Amino acid sequence: MKINRILLNCRRDTSLGGEMGADPVLLFFRTPVAYNEGNSVRQTTKPSVALMTSGYKQSFRPVNGKTLRYDLVSFRTSAADRQYISSMNIIQDIPVELNDDFIISATLRSMRSQSIDRGKHFSEFMELSMRIIFIAMSDISDSCNDDPNLKIPRYAELRKLRDAVYDDPSAGWSVEEMCEDIQISKTYFHRLYLEAFGVTFRQDIIESRLIHAAELLKNTDLSVTAISETCGYDSESYFMRQFKQHRGCTPSEYRRKVRNTD
């Protein structure tokens, strides 16, 4: 597990979210936060923690006009890490309230201190610290038996499928093949997927590809044509139309904007 960055005591009066990047993100909210879950708007009343999966798009907003205060850890996982996280049955992509935030808050402070000093055992310390946080989150998840997602049929399979889409956005994802794999009808699949995540399977495929495209536009010199092919598009013009529709600008305009910002 590789830690990309650790930010503590962040403050903002506007929404946090949108495109979170290609890697998972851990968010520790010190103040109440509002967010969308399906077609509903929910908000926390206590400190909360959220494990945002790779490429997942969510927006978090301050409550009652107050400043949003949070800590953030962006990290990169191996296949073994993802298997470990999956085995912990952690609730993902939505904030989970904490009755006692001491363990997570103290662990994040220790990680931040270690990231500055970078001692001989830095990598080992960071991985063990993240596992402490995951264990704490797993205990919270076990106590959240009233989580509505757990009552959705085939949720674990759908969650695994969604993670796979964001891990491999360029794959030729087929609803027919997915339905055949988990032995359900297309109509039932679409209904369960929308109920579980608030978006359609096709919308997630599009979003995963556009997030991957945005990363390539920012961090590589690949041509727009090469990027469209890498992200699974057969037509460059279709890729460009879809990118502009969902990002508000063409791929070339996006590349200029993010590089000028940097």
Side-chain angles (χ1 to χ4, degrees), residues 193-242:
Y193 199 95
L194 182 61
E195 183 180 356
F197 309 119
V199 295
T200 67
F201 183 56
R202 174 173 168 73
Q203 286 172 323
D204 264 340
I205 293 173
I206 293 172
E207 186 60 27
S208 69
R209 290 179 174 179
L210 293 181
I211 287 173
H212 187 41
E215 290 289 323
L216 293 175
L217 287 165
K218 179 180 179 180
N219 299 316
T220 76
D221 292 321
L222 289 173
S223 67
V224 172
T225 300
I227 289 175
S228 69
E229 293 174 354
T230 301
C231 293
Y233 287 91
D234 295 327
S235 166
E236 178 185 353
S237 60
Y238 181 63
F239 162 66
M240 294 177 67
R241 287 198 305 272
Q242 204 166 72

Side-chain angles (χ1 to χ4, degrees), residues 41-42 77 150 189:
V41 177
R42 301 183 183 276
T77 55
L150 300 180
F189 170 82

Side-chain angles (χ1 to χ4, degrees), residues 1-10 16 20-30 48-56 60 69-77 85 90-96 98 101 103-109 111 126-138 140-141:
M1 186 178 303
K2 178 183 178 183
I3 305 299
N4 297 328
R5 56 177 175 155
I6 304 174
L7 303 175
L8 299 189
N9 299 316
C10 302
L16 163 71
M20 292 225 176
D23 294 320
V25 173
L26 180 82
L27 293 167
F28 170 52
F29 294 107
R30 299 175 178 272
S48 60
V49 61
L51 176 59
M52 311 304 296
T53 51
S54 175
Y56 188 76
F60 301 100
R69 296 177 53 224
Y70 63 96
D71 299 345
L72 179 152
V73 180
S74 171
F75 57 100
R76 186 165 297 173
T77 55
I85 293 171
I90 296 170
I91 295 174
Q92 300 181 24
D93 301 327
I94 59 173
V96 178
L98 304 168
D101 64 3
I103 292 177
I104 291 178
S105 178
T107 303
L108 289 173
R109 287 197 299 270
M111 291 174 66
M126 288 299 184
E127 180 163 355
L128 290 174
S129 296
M130 288 299 292
R131 293 204 172 207
I132 289 173
I133 292 175
F134 293 148
I135 290 170
M137 293 181 69
S138 179
I140 298 167
S141 298

Side-chain angles (χ1 to χ4, degrees), residues 119-224:
K120 181 170 64 173
H121 302 292
F122 169 75
S123 297
E124 183 181 2
F125 180 92
M126 288 299 184
E127 180 163 355
L128 290 174
S129 296
M130 288 299 292
R131 293 204 172 207
I132 289 173
I133 292 175
F134 293 148
I135 290 170
M137 293 181 69
S138 179
D139 289 341
I140 298 167
S141 298
D142 288 343
S143 67
C144 293
N145 292 324
D146 58 343
D147 176 29
N149 283 338
L150 300 180
K151 300 176 183 178
I152 296 174
R154 318 301 286 271
Y155 179 77
E157 293 166 284
L158 294 173
R159 174 77 264 172
K160 184 177 180 180
L161 170 60
R162 193 183 202 209
D163 290 344
V165 168
Y166 280 97
D167 285 342
D168 189 9
S170 62
W173 298 103
S174 163
V175 172
E176 289 77 11
E177 291 180 5
M178 298 304 105
C179 292
E180 185 176 344
D181 286 344
I182 59 179
Q183 295 295 297
I184 60 175
S185 70
K186 287 174 60 176
T187 301
Y188 190 44
F189 170 82
H190 287 305
R191 181 166 68 82
L192 289 181
Y193 199 95
L194 182 61
E195 183 180 356
F197 309 119
V199 295
T200 67
F201 183 56
R202 174 173 168 73
Q203 286 172 323
D204 264 340
I205 293 173
I206 293 172
E207 186 60 27
S208 69
R209 290 179 174 179
L210 293 181
I211 287 173
H212 187 41
E215 290 289 323
L216 293 175
L217 287 165
K218 179 180 179 180
N219 299 316
T220 76
D221 292 321
L222 289 173
S223 67
V224 172

